[in-house]
Amino acid sequence: MEALHHSDAPEEPGSVKKGSWSNPVTVLGNERGIALVTALLLALISLAIALAVLYLVLMQTKVSAAHKRYKTALEASHGGVQLITKELIPRMFGSSTPGAAIKNDFIALSLGLSSDACLGQKLSLRSSGWAACQAGNQSPDPKQAPDMTFKLPGLKGPGYQVYAKIVDTQPGNSDTSGVELLDSAAGVTGASSGVSPKHVPALYRIETQGESIANPREKAALTVLYSY
């Protein structure tokens, strides 16, 4: 009969102690799935970057298109202001029916004007004296009861509709008769026998809005201080 011997000698590193009470040790060394996970993460990151770049390009395109449409509407508003201040208003002075005096001359633009009574008071009186005008004629919104409306044709499409309204007037002493009077024929060294009053021009605040006929959302508004 053999005797059981117990040894207290130190175990070697990495060795497994033998005995009926010990469990086998399993070492995990399988790394074959790491490459697949890494590839998927890189693919997701690349997809996110591509989507972000695509979104920025689309947004920039929309902003550029909106800016172009606004610039076109703004040019239409500027064109309307030039027509109003250089052609329409100067020809309205000195007439009891300012609308009838010019409406037939701009048939191609489909010119529309407010009542002669209201328009005449706006050209000659302060806003407090506009008895012939309704509340809408004095509001700052140019589309609400406008004094002047006309169409500006475009190279492509139906063009732009322009709305304009005089919302405030500061009367002056400018000659609105349209008659150019001659001077007294005094020489260079001659002295004038009359007294010339100081010229105080009339001031008009004009609200203008130009908008696309095809798409009313494409619009631009201007506030003009007109001196005559």
Side-chain angles (χ1 to χ4, degrees):
M1 183 174 183
E2 297 181 357
L4 295 176
H5 297 280
H6 178 72
S7 175
D8 294 333
E11 300 180 357
E12 297 181 358
S15 62
V16 179
K17 185 177 180 181
K18 297 181 180 180
S20 59
W21 62 85
S22 61
N23 296 324
V25 178
T26 303
V27 180
L28 298 178
N30 187 2
E31 299 180 355
R32 289 178 294 176
I34 297 299
L36 178 60
V37 174
T38 304
L40 290 176
L41 290 177
L42 292 177
L44 289 177
I45 294 174
S46 302
L47 180 60
I49 294 175
L51 291 177
V53 172
L54 181 61
Y55 175 78
L56 292 177
V57 171
L58 291 177
M59 290 301 298
Q60 183 64 32
T61 303
K62 291 182 179 179
V63 171
S64 299
H67 181 70
K68 181 180 179 180
R69 291 192 296 266
Y70 171 75
K71 289 289 290 183
T72 305
L74 184 61
E75 291 297 329
S77 298
H78 279 291
V81 170
Q82 295 295 322
L83 180 63
I84 293 168
T85 57
K86 293 184 178 181
E87 296 291 338
L88 300 183
I89 291 182
R91 297 177 62 178
M92 294 181 185
F93 289 117
S95 175
S96 59
T97 57
I102 64 172
K103 192 171 183 179
N104 294 332
D105 296 337
F106 296 92
I107 298 178
L109 300 181
S110 302
L111 177 63
L113 300 171
S114 61
S115 65
D116 288 332
C118 177
L119 197 54
Q121 290 181 352
K122 285 189 173 184
L123 293 175
S124 58
L125 303 176
R126 297 178 183 272
S127 57
S128 58
W130 297 348
C133 300
Q134 303 296 325
N137 297 115
Q138 304 181 37
S139 69
D141 184 5
K143 289 192 66 175
Q144 182 181 5
D147 294 329
M148 293 161 275
T149 62
F150 50 88
K151 297 180 181 179
L152 296 179
L155 296 177
K156 296 181 180 179
Y160 285 80
Q161 183 79 20
V162 178
Y163 304 88
K165 180 194 298 185
I166 299 174
V167 297
D168 193 19
T169 301
Q170 182 69 34
N173 59 1
S174 299
D175 180 19
T176 58
S177 63
V179 179
E180 297 183 1
L181 301 177
L182 299 177
D183 57 18
S184 59
V188 176
T189 59
S192 176
S193 58
V195 178
S196 299
K198 182 180 179 180
H199 178 220
V200 179
L203 299 177
Y204 302 92
R205 177 188 165 192
I206 305 174
E207 297 291 338
T208 309
Q209 178 173 308
E211 65 178 34
S212 172
I213 298 176
N215 184 9
R217 296 179 60 185
E218 300 176 11
K219 58 186 177 180
L222 293 175
T223 299
V224 180
L225 183 61
Y226 175 57
S227 173
Y228 183 84

